[in-house]
Amino acid sequence: MDVADLGLPVDVPSTALFTDQYELTMLQAALKAGTAERRSVFEVFTRRLPEGRRYGVVAGTGRVLDAIENFRFDADVIAFLRERAVVDEATLAWLAAYRFSGDVWGYPEGEVYFPGSPIMRVEGTFAECVLLETVILSVLNHDSAIAAAASRMSSAARGRPLIEMGARRTHELAAVASARAAYVGGFSSTSDLAAGFRYNIPTVGTSAHAFTLLHDRERDAFQAQVASLGRGTTLLVDTYDVAEAVRTAVEIAGPELGAVRIDSGDLLLMAHRVRHQLDELGAADTKIIVTSDLDEYAIASLAASPVDAYGVGTQLVTGSGHPTCSMVYKLVARAGSTDPKAPLLPVAKKSGGGKTSIGGRKWAARRLDAYGVAEAEVVGTGAVPPELLDRRLLVDLVKGGEVVAREPLDAARDRHRAALAGLPLSAAQLSRGEPVLPTEYVHGRSGS
């Protein structure tokens, strides 16, 4: 089922209030100054990757497109803004008619990025573009952080399936977005049914310790679960004694038992013991799933163990220590007047403390070496060098206010797999290091 058009899973009339008040007060001041209609270019980028990360992952693009489409100041929203005296009546009248009519380009979802990469470029009047800053950054910073953690975990898992199960460790709406981002980053399924409904992600789940504790005997719990869900179910075997539970599980389900799950203890040791026991009991095809506060390092430590799948919760939905990507949304070019044909002038903030930015409307391309492996992220203004024309990274997302880049979530997932495969092998290393690709800047005219 294609559920991309169901709308945002939020109990609000629009996404227009997913913003900071100063976006609206800037709008009011610009309207009064006569500069609100100046053609402008905003770009999303990050100045650095989280410490130790070799690459970033673009995720949330599809959700950004949803947010732009749903950015409407309806009567209830206007009434709220009037009651709070956030802006004046002239600005409220302007907001009531707001529809984004500009253009958006960006790295396609699932692509990798590096410091300085123009991950998204938003063009239109200053007034219509500035209002989108907060919601765009909210989505991209969160989803890209989760996708990056998921990608590292997926690399560490070496092809073994990963289950997203962090809904109980974060906000209920963030859980849905996290499951989506994790799927882009390489996870196979989620335990969160809202994510399955909203984004058609495969969902899984059988039972928790509470189900075993409900029954008088562990045997009774296993019998009830197998009777209900079939012999291919997954039985949780660490409520009491693991060895006894495995023996009971195979007695009840037979060699057709789908899997056993281990949620505590020394997972490396237990996985070897359980695999040996399952094989001795004739359940050679029964899989072993491990959970219990896993992160990419714990997953990597289990690489040589007989584990068949991993369930990850807390560390995934918190970005494995990096819950944001520190992306910013900066004005990089604007016209000198409200004339639609006025040329764009590069602009940039001048400051210390690592917060400098580079002005001008930018393009990005990825240069490959003689073996077809990426060797640099090239970011520039003006004309794109001929040798990089077919390596450009930004694609059309919105044209004239209309979304033009709808795609199935699996397309983003496949794109990420391909992008990662095109990076140097050191990208998958979990040891601390610099970005796997350097960012090179090519300066030219901003362009009109």
Side-chain angles (χ1 to χ4, degrees), residues 142-157:
H142 174 270
D143 289 24
S144 297
I146 305 306
S151 179
R152 284 163 59 86
M153 293 174 187
S154 182
S155 293

Side-chain angles (χ1 to χ4, degrees), residues 295-372:
D295 62 10
E296 59 265 50
Y297 301 102
I299 292 170
S301 73
L302 293 168
S305 71
V307 170
D308 298 289
Y310 306 90
V312 189
T314 303
Q315 292 301 319
L316 175 66
V317 298
T318 56
S320 195
H322 298 289
T324 183
C325 301
S326 299
M327 293 179 186
V328 294
Y329 183 96
K330 296 298 181 183
L331 181 67
V332 297
R334 51 87 175 169
S337 73
T338 57
D339 182 349
K341 296 182 179 179
L344 291 171
L345 307 172
V347 295
K349 174 183 176 181
K350 291 183 179 180
S351 67
K355 283 196 170 185
T356 57
S357 56
I358 298 173
R361 181 180 187 269
K362 299 175 194 67
W363 51 263
R366 192 160 297 148
R367 191 174 67 238
L368 308 183
D369 65 15
Y371 299 96

Side-chain angles (χ1 to χ4, degrees), residues 163-444:
I163 305 163
E164 186 282 314
M165 46 195 303
R168 64 191 62 194
R169 297 291 188 249
T170 188
H171 186 280
E172 64 272 18
L173 298 181
V176 180
S178 295
R180 183 187 184 280
Y183 190 69
V184 171
F187 273 57
S188 303
S189 56
T190 179
S191 65
D192 191 85
L193 290 176
F197 173 75
R198 177 68 178 84
Y199 297 114
N200 205 26
I201 300 169
T203 57
V204 296
T206 52
S207 68
H209 291 105
F211 185 75
T212 301
L213 296 170
L214 169 68
H215 293 80
D216 296 332
R217 299 183 304 166
E218 188 171 52
R219 175 179 294 274
D220 297 337
F222 288 177
Q223 286 175 331
Q225 184 174 327
V226 170
S228 175
L229 301 178
R231 295 177 183 271
T233 191
T234 298
L235 295 175
L236 181 58
V237 295
D238 72 325
T239 305
Y240 304 118
D241 179 84
V242 173
E244 181 61 29
V246 170
R247 186 177 304 109
T248 302
V250 176
E251 285 179 10
I252 292 170
E256 296 84 12
L257 175 62
V260 295
R261 178 163 75 95
I262 309 170
D263 187 51
S264 59
D266 185 332
L267 297 179
L268 179 62
L269 176 63
M270 294 306 303
H272 280 285
R273 287 180 176 175
V274 169
R275 180 73 272 159
H276 179 73
Q277 185 180 10
L278 287 170
D279 291 346
E280 281 193 333
L281 294 171
D285 294 329
T286 298
K287 307 297 185 185
I288 298 175
I289 300 171
V290 297
T291 53
S292 185
D293 291 328
L294 298 177
D295 62 10
E296 59 265 50
Y297 301 102
I299 292 170
S301 73
L302 293 168
S305 71
V307 170
D308 298 289
Y310 306 90
V312 189
T314 303
Q315 292 301 319
L316 175 66
V317 298
T318 56
S320 195
H322 298 289
T324 183
C325 301
S326 299
M327 293 179 186
V328 294
Y329 183 96
K330 296 298 181 183
L331 181 67
V332 297
R334 51 87 175 169
S337 73
T338 57
D339 182 349
K341 296 182 179 179
L344 291 171
L345 307 172
V347 295
K349 174 183 176 181
K350 291 183 179 180
S351 67
K355 283 196 170 185
T356 57
S357 56
I358 298 173
R361 181 180 187 269
K362 299 175 194 67
W363 51 263
R366 192 160 297 148
R367 191 174 67 238
L368 308 183
D369 65 15
Y371 299 96
V373 177
E375 65 177 7
E377 191 89 338
V378 185
V379 176
T381 58
V384 182
E387 67 274 15
L388 293 177
L389 285 173
D390 62 348
R391 300 299 307 167
R392 286 176 291 182
L393 292 164
L394 277 75
V395 300
D396 290 330
L397 299 174
V398 178
K399 298 296 291 182
E402 297 296 324
V403 173
V404 296
R406 292 284 184 210
E407 63 179 6
L409 195 57
D410 279 325
R413 176 182 168 87
D414 292 342
R415 181 180 296 113
H416 178 61
R417 187 182 298 113
L420 201 56
L423 296 179
L425 292 176
S426 57
Q429 292 178 349
L430 297 182
S431 56
R432 295 186 181 276
E434 297 299 315
V436 72
L437 296 186
T439 303
E440 299 178 0
Y441 292 97
V442 178
H443 298 291

Side-chain angles (χ1 to χ4, degrees), residues 55-124:
Y55 60 90
V57 181
V58 178
T61 308
R63 295 209 308 122
V64 167
L65 300 181
D66 288 341
I68 292 174
E69 283 190 333
N70 285 274
F71 206 90
R72 303 283 187 269
F73 292 84
D74 60 23
D76 290 339
V77 172
I78 293 295
F80 165 78
L81 296 174
R82 179 178 290 115
E83 177 187 346
R84 297 292 182 93
V86 174
V87 290
D88 61 21
E89 286 297 324
T91 305
L92 290 176
W94 190 96
L95 291 172
Y98 178 85
R99 299 290 186 275
F100 180 73
S101 63
D103 301 329
V104 180
W105 289 264
Y107 280 39
E109 191 157 18
E111 184 57 84
V112 296
Y113 71 87
F114 299 91
S117 297
I119 296 163
M120 187 168 286
R121 190 174 74 222
V122 182
E123 301 191 17

